[in-house]
Amino acid sequence: MATTVQVPATLDASRERPALTEAAVRWAPARIALALTCGLRVFYGLLAAFLAPWLQLDPGLIKGNNLTGHLMSRELHPVLYAFLGVWERFDTLWYIQIAHHGYTTPMATVFYPLYPALIRAAFFVTRSDLAAALLISTLASFFLFRGALRLFELDHTPAAALRAVLLWAVWPASFSFFAGYPDSLLCACIVWSLYFARASRWLPAGVLGLAAGFTKVLGCFLALPFLWIAWKRKDRRGIAAAVLSVAGVAGFQAWLALTDFASTAQTYHTYWATSTAAPWTTLLQAVSITIRTGNRLLLMNLTVFVAVALATLMRDVRFEYKLFTVAALCLFLTKHTQPLLQSTTRYSLSIFAAWPVLSAKLGSGLPFAVIAMLAFILNLLLFWTFLSWGLAV
């Protein structure tokens, strides 16, 4: 298969090991993405099934969450629970509820509609809402990995792009790409929309920006890199793509207003113990509480947030990526949650530009292997806690 030769990365591509470079070139992005997706899907599925009988399922923790009245019984259906019911956790229950019943309660309106709509569509194939949710996430992971390889190879060697995707795939909380969560769908829309934007293919870029906006509010920030790329190239078609990326979020919020639902900010405050604060207020409070109490969960969220932020804001990162990153980081910090910085490790997965930088700085040798292994171990610890109802990542 012919392979397009990309412009070498500015991040010291000359140090690549020949063997790794040849392997990356020999495997097309689609084959790498398929192997990575299938491997991780099987791994997480078997690991969850193996852990299912050993999970300490505290009824207090479970009943403290919403929509847990009809969970699959581990005692009555041990095999089905091990391979399917073990994934009934936290936000997954809300997306399935919306897919099956629509927006029947104000609490549900913080969850955007594209993922539950796809669950509803896939239900006709799987005949199970939960299986449909996992199928959508798995398919989205394939397109995410493939799109990330294509996007990263525009600026980096195939070997560097491959390392970046591998680091992304093992980063703490990355198991959520294969859970009943929309994160892989969101990230897939982001990387492919930017890939098409950089190729001046504005129609698919705009449509994917629209899809990202219907997946999560973060999608609307694709307008910033779209406008920057369009301005640099003096291409007015980019303005239409930017408008489309905003239209997803604006359209959903307009629908909520027309159907007499409260605003998202009010809903978060009323039902989800989340208020709005200035980004620096949240960050300073997180640092202060971490120093005073040594809270390990807060320390992890803060460390991951800072690492991803610093990596993406380095000089070598494209300016349009920095625009998206700054907007995304500010969005994360405006959510003043209880506990503080809740789910920030998972949110940080959407900062796509961090992984090529981190992998380039680590190189292709032992430092990369060590950091990737440590990240994966932490990811598995979070996975265990997630399955045990101990942490809503």
Side-chain angles (χ1 to χ4, degrees):
M1 178 177 291
T3 304
T4 302
V5 178
Q6 304 295 347
V7 177
T10 58
L11 294 174
D12 199 7
S14 62
R15 294 185 296 175
E16 299 297 333
R17 292 185 176 181
L20 183 55
T21 303
E22 292 170 3
V25 171
R26 186 165 59 248
W27 279 68
R31 294 173 63 188
I32 295 173
L34 182 61
L36 189 56
T37 302
C38 291
L40 289 175
R41 175 75 274 170
V42 171
F43 172 78
Y44 286 123
L46 292 178
L47 180 60
F50 173 77
L51 294 174
W54 311 100
L55 298 175
Q56 302 298 317
L57 301 180
D58 183 347
L61 288 175
I62 297 174
K63 292 180 180 179
N65 292 271
N66 293 285
L67 307 177
T68 58
H70 298 88
L71 294 177
M72 187 182 300
S73 171
R74 180 172 62 174
E75 288 71 27
L76 295 178
H77 308 285
V79 176
L80 188 60
Y81 181 89
F83 286 97
L84 199 59
V86 73
W87 296 95
E88 288 183 303
R89 299 294 186 270
F90 303 106
D91 292 0
T92 303
L93 303 177
W94 280 105
Y95 284 113
I96 289 176
Q97 172 75 6
I98 296 167
H100 201 66
H101 300 288
Y103 291 94
T104 58
T105 172
M107 289 188 72
T109 60
V110 300
F111 301 99
Y112 275 60
L114 181 58
Y115 186 57
L118 292 175
I119 293 173
R120 181 67 179 227
F123 172 82
F124 295 101
V125 176
T126 64
R127 311 309 299 176
S128 164
D129 290 316
L130 181 56
L134 298 178
L135 175 63
I136 296 302
S137 296
T138 303
L139 292 175
S141 294
F142 166 74
F143 287 106
L144 164 60
F145 297 145
R146 185 182 182 189
L149 286 167
R150 297 284 294 274
L151 180 65
F152 296 162
E153 285 181 11
L154 295 179
D155 303 301
H156 306 276
T157 66
L162 176 57
R163 287 203 315 275
V165 171
L166 290 175
L167 187 61
W168 199 357
V170 301
W171 197 253
S174 60
F175 68 85
S176 60
F177 288 154
F178 295 89
Y181 277 62
D183 298 83
S184 57
L185 177 63
L186 173 68
C187 292
C189 290
I190 289 173
V191 297
W192 276 108
S193 64
L194 288 170
Y195 176 80
F196 285 126
R198 290 189 57 186
S200 295
R201 297 173 61 183
W202 290 110
L203 179 58
V207 170
L208 287 167
L210 177 67
F214 274 126
T215 304
K216 279 194 170 186
V217 68
L218 186 64
C220 71
F221 293 136
L222 284 167
L224 298 174
F226 286 174
L227 290 173
W228 176 259
I229 295 171
W231 180 75
K232 292 287 288 184
R233 298 178 181 177
K234 297 180 173 56
D235 191 341
R236 295 181 179 178
R237 295 175 300 164
I239 299 175
V243 171
L244 276 177
S245 66
V246 174
V249 173
F252 181 61
Q253 294 301 318
W255 178 82
L256 292 179
L258 290 172
T259 50
D260 295 323
F261 281 112
S263 67
T264 300
Q266 184 177 344
T267 301
Y268 267 121
H269 179 72
T270 304
Y271 298 101
W272 294 96
T274 300
S275 58
T276 302
W280 50 88
T281 299
T282 303
L283 187 59
L284 290 175
Q285 284 188 5
V287 173
S288 175
I289 293 174
T290 301
I291 294 173
R292 285 189 290 105
T293 67
N295 185 295
R296 287 179 293 179
L297 179 59
L298 182 56
L299 176 61
M300 179 196 67
N301 280 313
L302 183 61
T303 301
V304 170
F305 178 87
V306 170
V308 170
L310 292 178
T312 315
L313 297 177
M314 287 186 178
R315 182 181 59 184
D316 302 302
V317 178
R318 299 181 66 88
F319 186 71
E320 59 264 34
Y321 295 173
K322 291 180 180 179
L323 288 174
F324 179 84
T325 297
V326 170
L329 296 177
C330 288
L331 175 66
F332 301 159
L333 292 175
T334 56
K335 292 178 63 176
H336 196 273
T337 58
Q338 296 296 332
L340 205 60
L341 295 185
Q342 185 178 35
S343 302
T344 301
T345 295
R346 177 168 62 89
Y347 295 158
S348 298
L349 291 170
S350 59
I351 308 301
F352 64 94
W355 321 117
V357 177
L358 289 172
S359 63
K361 295 301 182 183
L362 293 170
S364 58
L366 184 60
F368 175 83
V370 170
I371 295 301
M373 180 61 68
L374 292 175
F376 192 52
I377 291 172
L378 181 55
N379 178 51
L380 294 181
L381 291 174
L382 292 176
F383 186 46
W384 164 264
T385 310
F386 170 80
L387 294 180
S388 302
W389 287 94
L391 176 66
V393 294

